[in-house]
Each structure stands twice: as C-alpha cells, then as structure tokens.
Amino acid sequence: MALLALETSCDETSAAVVHDCRVLSNVVSSQVTLHSEYGGVVPELAAREHLRNMCPVTRKALGEAGVSPGDLEAVCATQGPGLPGALMVGLKAAQALAFCLRRPFIGIHHHEAHLFSPWIEGNPPTARFDQFQAHVSLIVSGGHTMLVLVSHLGEPKLLGSTLDDAAGECFDKVGKLIGLPYPAGPVIDRMAENGNSSAYDFPRPLLHEPGHDFSFSGLKTAVRYFIRDHPEVLANRAKIQDLCASVQAAIVEVLVSKTIRAARNHRLRFVTASGGVACNRALRAHLQSACNREGFALRLAEPSFCTDNAGMIGILGERKLKMHTGITDLDADIIPNWALASC
Ligand code: KG4
Ligand code: ZN
C-alpha cells in the first residue's frame, strides 16, 4: 500500500507517492517562468496554474511509482500555511480523491514537512528516522526563515522567525535591484562564486541580538542606497560579482551564526537545514564548517528536497498515519496562517 501526497502552498505543483519511508516518485512542476515577468509570485495566477497542473502531475507521480489509485492507503496534502487560493487546489483535490477511494485524508503543516526533508537521503530517497536526534533546524526559503527546536519528531517548537522579509525574498529583491532575473537566489549564488565577499560591507541585521528572530529588509534597503550612491558598480561585471558575494556573505553570516547559537543555547549538538535557500552553496559550506568547528553534526536536505516538494509532505503524512495522529476531516478547510507552536 502507498500514500499519495499533494503540495500546492506556493508556486510549485507537486505530487509524490511514498511507501514505507521511501519516496517512490516526486514530481514537481515549477511555475517560475510564469511568475518571473512579474518579479515574484502572483497568487491568483499560481492558483489557476495549480488547477491546470494538478491532474497531469498527479497522474505522472502515480505512473512513475507504478501505483494505481486503488492501491492507495491514504491521501495527504499541504493544509497550510501558504497562499489561500493555491492551498485550496491541492487540499480539495486530495480530499475529493480520498472521498472517492474511501481512504483517510491527512492535512499536513508545510513547515513541519520541511523539518522532515533533511532526513531523506539515498536512491530511492528514504527517510532515515533511525538516525534521528534532537536538533535545531533552519528552514530558509522565499516565504519563510525560521529556527525550530525539534526535541522529538512530531513536536516542533518555533524558536524564532523573520520579522519582515524572508532570506530568499531578500536574495530575490536584491537581485531585482541589480537587474537579475527572478528568482535571483540561484543567480546570486553563481555570480558570487567569482566575487570578493569582503569588497563591500553590508549590515548583518539582528546578528548580536539575543533572540532567535531574523530581519532582512534593512539589508535590502542598504543595498538600494549603495546602488543609488554607486551606480557605476552595475556597469561592471566584476563589481556586480563582488556585490553579489558581499550581500550573500551578510545573509549567510546571519543565518549560520544564529543557527549555531540556537543549538548552543539549547545544548544540542545537531543541526539541520532545508528550504530553497538551503540550496545556496555558500550557506551549505559555511554551515558545514561552523558545525565542524563546534563539533556539531549537520544534515542538509538534498537540493531536490530543499525546494517545495510533495515527497516531504508524503513522508510526514505516512508517519502521521502510522502514529494514528493526523487523520483530518474530509471537509476540513485550508489554514493559510497556520503557525508552528512556539517555545
Ligand atoms: O522553498 P522554495 O522553492 O519556495 C518557497 O519560497 O517556499 O524557495 C524559493 C526561494 C527563492 O527565494 C530563491 O531565490 C531561493 O529560494 N533560492 C536560493 C537558491 N536557490 C533557491 N537562494 C540562494 N541561493 C540559491 N542557490
Ligand atoms: Zn516551503
């Protein structure tokens, strides 16, 4: 028996089939080209695109897994948080399918699913819960930046999150100021490779504050003023590379320092990271060397599980099904502002 998972919280339409902690298929249809001309995700367009993609993506996921709808043991979908219209498409499709198949439906918290993605590894991708240890997790993407204390699987506690822009949003908005295409995070990652990260000095917001919250809008504003005062930088490729490397260094330093400090404060020696920005090579390298220095173990989600995907939704859904903790009503509504419990 297998479980079908759907994810439509933002701009990726994704369907996955999971069985016995293994991800048998994980189909992701990204809407990046649709939204790139607007420089960000347009919620109404995202919802309509999810509607168009839902059936083909689901059919593909079932086909790749060699599973027919009648073989499904349960259906799950992201219930929140996310864009209301986008969430509605995946949730209602999953509930309708569960109703037709007379199978249980499980509504999934998107951030809790991100927490499971660093434990998925190998081929076929398999969740290694046998290796679980209490840890601090950094979830960092275009929509979220948060530190979560995970003492036990299934009981995450939010330590802190961004007060304004998410780290990915900061990458994307800075990229827009520089004239880079959306989403700018991966482009800045590549440009920074040949740049000097100490060429320009940008603020590291809240770096020395005692709490676990983040703030990135001041950094974006600092870059805006820098470009206003030094327009010549944008006419020179080497200087743009230096600018990208310097901004990236500021974001990475804040993310790494605050993650390490949160683990230290909670006397934990294990760190995980996930979300689209966790694909960033400088972040991965700096987090790894900081963990080595501290003697911490680190699990980074594999890049295909960093960005939004239904595989992580299915892995959490299957666990909830096994633990008898997550059966959700077939008429349950979306929860766009669903927050993780705080510490
Ligand atoms: O998790 P994700 O696919 O979607 C959500 O926002 O939930 O993350 C997308 C974000 C975008 O802001 C994108 O610019 C950023 O992740 N991103 C990166 C990299 N790859 C994706 N940021 C920095 N470096 C990267 N390599
Ligand atoms: Zn996400």
Side-chain angles (χ1 to χ4, degrees), residues 2-282:
L3 182 143
L4 174 72
L6 304 179
E7 152 65 35
T8 61
S9 66
C10 189
D11 62 340
E12 266 99 19
T13 315
S14 182
V17 177
V18 165
H19 174 61
D20 210 9
C21 289
R22 279 172 302 146
V23 181
L24 303 184
S25 64
N26 191 17
V27 178
V28 181
S29 170
S30 170
Q31 303 178 3
V32 153
T33 40
L34 173 70
H35 299 288
S36 63
E37 71 172 288
Y38 304 96
V41 177
V42 183
E44 177 63 25
L45 293 183
R48 291 185 200 187
E49 193 66 5
H50 284 311
L51 267 178
R52 262 190 291 273
N53 291 338
M54 194 76 265
C55 286
V57 165
T58 303
R59 226 178 270 125
K60 191 158 182 235
L62 289 168
E64 284 182 12
V67 164
S68 62
D71 299 331
L72 294 172
E73 189 180 359
V75 184
C76 62
T78 307
Q79 192 171 4
L83 301 172
L87 285 169
M88 191 75 86
V89 177
L91 187 92
K92 292 299 155 190
Q95 287 171 328
L97 190 57
F99 174 75
C100 293
L101 297 172
R102 297 175 195 281
R103 295 282 186 251
F105 165 72
I106 303 158
I108 297 293
H109 191 296
H110 181 82
H111 297 156
E112 193 180 356
H114 268 299
L115 295 173
F116 278 64
S117 58
W119 302 92
I120 306 171
E121 65 177 31
N123 191 16
T126 306
R128 300 299 307 271
F129 297 131
D130 53 315
Q131 298 184 3
F132 178 85
Q133 288 181 43
H135 63 278
V136 163
S137 192
L138 172 71
I139 305 177
V140 66
S141 75
H144 16 271
T145 300
M146 54 184 69
L147 282 167
V148 184
L149 175 65
V150 190
S151 304
H152 307 280
L153 271 176
E155 281 177 45
K157 293 270 186 287
L158 184 66
L159 294 172
S161 57
T162 185
L163 304 174
D164 39 58
D165 291 350
E169 203 175 349
C170 183
F171 271 109
D172 296 337
K173 287 179 174 172
V174 165
K176 199 170 179 180
L177 294 171
I178 301 175
L180 302 175
Y182 172 86
V187 188
I188 292 181
D189 186 346
R190 282 195 297 278
M191 300 280 280
E193 200 170 15
N194 300 311
N196 172 5
S197 61
S198 36
Y200 310 114
D201 191 20
F202 289 113
R204 270 73 170 153
L206 302 187
L207 182 61
H208 300 295
E209 301 294 320
H212 300 300
D213 287 333
F214 298 92
S215 166
F216 289 103
S217 71
L219 172 55
K220 169 200 66 194
T221 307
V223 177
R224 172 175 290 130
Y225 289 145
F226 174 82
I227 291 173
R228 183 196 64 190
D229 298 340
H230 305 276
E232 72 285 355
V233 166
L234 297 191
N236 179 312
R237 186 172 170 84
K239 287 188 175 158
I240 295 178
Q241 290 171 336
D242 287 347
L243 178 57
C244 288
S246 302
V247 174
Q248 179 176 275
I251 297 174
V252 166
E253 185 180 343
V254 172
L255 294 175
V256 172
S257 305
K258 300 202 80 154
T259 304
I260 296 291
R261 201 173 61 204
R264 254 197 238 135
N265 287 354
H266 288 85
R267 300 185 194 294
L268 292 172
R269 307 179 63 76
F270 210 117
V271 166
T272 70
S274 62
V277 179
C279 292
N280 183 272
R281 289 167 303 165

Side-chain angles (χ1 to χ4, degrees), residues 273-289:
S274 62
V277 179
C279 292
N280 183 272
R281 289 167 303 165
L283 175 61
R284 296 176 84 87
H286 281 82
L287 206 45
Q288 186 65 66
S289 42

